[in-house]
Amino acid sequence: MTATVNADPQELAKFSELAHRWWDPNSEFKPLHQINPLRLDWIDSLARLPGRRVVDVGCGGGILAESMARRGASVLGIDLATKPLRVAQLHAMEAGVEQLQYREVPAEALAVEMPGAFDVVTCMEMLEHVPEPASIVRACHALVKPGGWVFFSTINRNAKAFVFAIVGAEHVLKLLPKGTHEYARFIRPSELAQWCRDAGLVLQQTRGMEYNPLTQRCWLSGDTSVNYLVACRKPA
Ligand code: SAH
């Protein structure tokens, strides 16, 4: 990989090391398994997945990508970590899910190769691991068709997010390995909204995603103070 790629090799290595446990619902990826039905339903309710062409940017082991393909979308998952992509591919093959492909390619490069090729772009829990998130947002805008949907989710940057997402999740509850998240890379909703506008995307909805680790329940709300999701559209 060249130095010009918008990726942090240490971040990619972290995800590669854990890749073999990606589909174990009790592993480090438990939170992703638990939030998946919620985000899948939300995306589907807005963009109507069946028959859509979707690219999932930073797909990892494919939890969301595979679930969108099962809903009837034709999905391409991209990531820059090799092992998670292999795990994703193997899981799709074993599960016999069709209309699901994976590629190791930077979002920015795919945007040049396939501009406007997708009805829907998803980019979940990924921007906070990237050196230049605004560049990913611009690539997502380039990948989507006019009138298409782009979805992001990430973690807010404030004292509460620090306590919940780092101290609570990594140190107290040990839901995530220590060092999973770096506070300075968290993104305020206002910052993400600005990057979306600068890229030419129009914000449609922002929702908070709350999680109770005791009951292991998660739900969408108006509280964006820790985890949140954003839905945008490219003007038709
Ligand atoms: N989006 C998936 C996985 C989230 S984990 C989900 O929500 O279920 C974060 C993922 O981002 C990892 O798979 C990691 O390899 C990927 N990632 C980190 N930096 C990246 C980059 N620059 N380009 C593409 N993927 C990246």
Side-chain angles (χ1 to χ4, degrees):
M1 201 183 301
T2 65
T4 55
V5 170
N6 177 21
D8 180 338
Q10 275 180 326
E11 289 281 346
L12 301 178
K14 241 168 24 188
F15 288 105
S16 266
E17 256 166 51
L18 301 170
H20 58 288
R21 289 205 286 275
W22 211 289
W23 283 89
D24 175 351
N26 291 312
S27 70
E28 294 83 351
F29 299 101
K30 184 174 187 168
L32 293 182
H33 286 280
Q34 288 184 326
I35 64 175
N36 200 58
L38 189 65
R39 61 191 187 176
L40 174 67
D41 282 344
W42 184 68
I43 292 166
D44 195 13
S45 71
L46 293 170
R48 310 247 220 97
L49 285 170
R52 302 288 185 206
R53 201 163 175 208
V54 182
V55 61
D56 186 26
V57 176
C59 62
I63 295 170
L64 178 66
E66 192 173 303
S67 68
M68 292 192 290
R70 285 178 191 274
R71 281 272 165 106
S74 165
V75 181
L76 172 64
I78 65 167
D79 204 289
L80 290 177
T82 309
K83 283 191 188 163
L85 278 175
R86 287 214 194 110
V87 166
Q89 229 145 15
L90 205 64
H91 195 274
M93 257 169 53
E94 280 177 354
V97 182
E98 285 171 19
Q99 303 290 341
L100 176 57
Q101 288 189 334
Y102 292 101
R103 270 182 69 185
E104 189 174 327
V105 59
E108 290 90 342
L110 190 71
V112 172
E113 184 189 322
M114 305 179 76
F118 298 92
D119 302 299
V120 179
V121 179
T122 53
C123 179
M124 317 304 268
E125 316 301 330
M126 182 269 197
L127 292 174
E128 70 275 18
H129 299 285
V130 171
E132 269 193 69
S135 163
I136 301 289
V137 173
R138 286 193 295 273
C140 291
H141 167 267
L143 285 162
V144 76
K145 282 180 193 164
W149 288 85
V150 181
F151 298 92
F152 298 105
S153 70
T154 189
I155 305 175
N156 202 339
R157 190 176 70 256
N158 55 42
K160 185 178 169 191
F162 178 74
V163 169
F164 277 66
I166 296 185
V167 180
E170 295 183 16
H171 295 265
V172 179
L173 298 166
K174 300 188 167 46
L175 285 171
L176 298 172
K178 290 193 179 86
T180 297
H181 288 118
E182 197 183 313
Y183 179 70
R185 285 216 164 136
F186 288 176
I187 298 164
R188 295 202 175 114
S190 58
E191 294 164 340
L192 180 53
Q194 185 67 50
W195 298 335
C196 289
R197 279 194 297 272
D198 290 348
L201 291 167
V202 181
L203 241 76
Q204 306 289 316
Q205 239 188 65
T206 303
R207 304 289 286 148
M209 191 164 45
E210 296 190 67
Y211 175 65
N212 180 336
L214 299 176
T215 58
Q216 308 202 337
R217 217 173 63 80
C218 55
W219 63 96
L220 296 182
S221 76
D223 180 357
T224 59
S225 57
V226 185
N227 272 285
Y228 64 98
L229 309 116
V230 166
C232 318
R233 291 188 93 161
K234 184 172 184 166

